[in-house]
Amino acid sequence: MACPMFSPECSSKAIIKTTFSADIQGMKGSFLFKKAFKISLLFFALIFAGPGTFIAADSYTVEKGDTLYGISRRYGVSIDRLCGWNGIDKTSVLRVGQVLDIPTNSPEPSREQKTEKKYETYKIKKGDTLYRLAMDYNLRVDQLINYNALDASVVLQIGQEIRIPISQSEIELASLPNLPAKDPRNYSEKKGDPSLQWPVKNPEVTYMEGKVGGVCLSAKKNETVTAIHGGAVLYVGNYRGYGNVVIIVTDDGIKYIYAGLDSIRVKKGDFVSFGDSIGVAGIDSIKGTSMISLIVYQKTTPVDPASAPRG
């Protein structure tokens, strides 16, 4: 049975629920202060506001694939208002199971409304730029470029259609390094130091030439491939012409790309530590020998894998 609006029981339950939600999300003191401040404002608004000005805050539990942009569109509120109401900012990463308060009188979205599109199509108008669109949709310019396979120097044309990634999975794909469509297979005469910590033991290290500054590493048949630096698994699967790929990103934004695996032992979203097994070395389709490739990026800039941080 519903509680009377201003009963002590209802007020206690609301405060306990809010505090518990904040605790399980592991938020810091600053967040708890904002939450308490928001509750106080809401309490006084309930007392002094008339029926026509009452604002009800719905709760929404974050599901896989949710984004701040998608949730704001679903409930018809701005991203700024959604973030301000929950004491977070636009760069916050949503977690599955996280509870958000929605400042709206809208009912719980239907199953159809919860089915979020992967992307939406936008038609270029006069004055549009990639920078402006990226700001409007809370994306980075390089994400729009990668997602639409555009050249960085492209000039947008009026009437041109581009895709805007909406779902979290599509935004993550747009964040992956913009590797060429096919494995370069251009090997240089430069050799690397096999005594360094590599994903496989004592490999022959051959550098690749071209746009991608990576190395090819010889391996034993069915040799275990290990992470040379801890981080979160950003991507697993078959990636363009590189075979089975695992991409691990560090807290500093360095991406380690392990390509040419026979099998993969981690899942997207896993956190791996230095030395953890991430897969098994595969057989190179051209050379016919067991080997993998290692490519490292600092954001969008290739890094020499020999000088990339270990540990």
Side-chain angles (χ1 to χ4, degrees):
M1 183 175 67
C3 297
M5 182 179 294
F6 297 104
S7 72
E9 292 82 1
C10 281
S11 299
S12 299
K13 289 179 181 179
I15 294 172
I16 292 171
K17 178 182 176 183
T18 304
T19 305
F20 180 70
S21 297
D23 287 341
I24 64 171
Q25 292 176 40
M27 295 299 178
K28 296 180 179 180
S30 60
F31 174 79
L32 292 175
F33 175 80
K34 293 177 182 177
K35 198 75 172 178
F37 182 69
K38 184 184 73 176
I39 294 170
S40 299
L41 290 178
L42 181 58
F43 177 76
F44 286 108
L46 288 174
I47 294 176
F48 296 109
T53 59
F54 173 73
I55 299 175
D58 293 330
S59 293
Y60 177 74
T61 302
V62 175
E63 299 176 352
K64 184 177 180 181
D66 277 335
T67 64
L68 285 170
Y69 175 68
I71 295 173
S72 69
R73 281 175 58 88
R74 183 181 304 154
Y75 283 96
V77 298
S78 68
I79 292 179
D80 288 336
R81 191 179 180 204
L82 181 63
C83 290
W85 193 263
N86 288 277
I88 58 179
D89 57 47
K90 292 180 180 180
T91 62
S92 298
V93 177
L94 299 181
R95 298 180 303 280
V96 174
Q98 180 178 350
V99 179
L100 297 177
D101 289 336
I102 311 297
T104 176
N105 286 317
S106 301
E108 175 70 13
S110 65
R111 182 181 298 274
E112 291 74 17
Q113 290 174 312
K114 285 186 177 181
T115 303
E116 191 175 0
K117 296 188 299 182
K118 291 184 177 181
Y119 64 88
E120 67 178 35
T121 302
Y122 180 85
K123 185 172 290 188
I124 300 299
K125 301 188 295 292
K126 184 178 180 179
D128 280 336
T129 65
L130 287 173
Y131 176 76
R132 180 177 296 178
L133 290 174
M135 290 289 290
D136 288 345
Y137 287 96
N138 196 30
L139 298 168
R140 300 193 311 271
V141 172
D142 66 286
Q143 290 174 321
L144 286 179
I145 290 174
N146 289 353
Y147 197 69
N148 289 276
L150 299 173
D151 187 272
S153 60
V154 66
V155 177
L156 299 178
Q157 303 296 320
I158 295 176
Q160 177 183 353
E161 291 186 345
I162 66 172
R163 295 186 305 168
I164 308 293
I166 296 177
S167 72
Q168 186 62 41
S169 59
E170 294 298 295
I171 292 174
E172 289 175 356
L173 284 177
S175 302
L176 297 179
N178 191 18
L179 299 179
K182 293 183 179 180
D183 187 339
R185 301 291 182 181
N186 295 322
Y187 304 111
S188 73
E189 297 298 322
K190 181 180 178 181
K191 301 294 181 181
D193 182 359
S195 66
L196 294 175
Q197 183 68 49
W198 294 106
V200 290
K201 295 180 180 179
N202 302 314
E204 179 182 347
V205 183
T206 304
Y207 278 81
M208 293 186 292
E209 294 179 329
K211 293 183 178 180
V212 180
V215 294
C216 291
L217 307 171
S218 64
K220 299 181 178 64
K221 185 177 180 180
N222 296 325
E223 184 173 357
T224 295
V225 178
T226 59
I228 63 172
H229 197 290
V233 178
L234 179 65
Y235 177 87
V236 297
N238 196 284
Y239 190 60
R240 296 178 178 174
Y242 293 80
N244 287 326
V245 171
V246 172
I247 301 179
I248 296 173
V249 61
T250 70
D251 290 339
D252 298 326
I254 303 176
K255 298 182 180 72
Y256 292 78
I257 305 169
Y258 304 82
L261 305 179
D262 178 70
S263 60
I264 296 172
R265 293 176 175 173
V266 292
K267 305 186 301 298
K268 179 180 174 181
D270 285 350
F271 183 87
V272 298
S273 300
F274 169 75
D276 283 354
S277 171
I278 61 173
V280 174
I283 303 297
D284 183 81
S285 59
I286 294 178
K287 291 192 173 183
T289 58
S290 183
M291 63 183 294
I292 67 166
S293 298
L294 176 64
I295 306 165
V296 183
Y297 274 82
Q298 172 66 61
K299 295 185 177 178
T300 59
T301 304
V303 175
D304 182 349
S307 62
R310 266 73 168 165

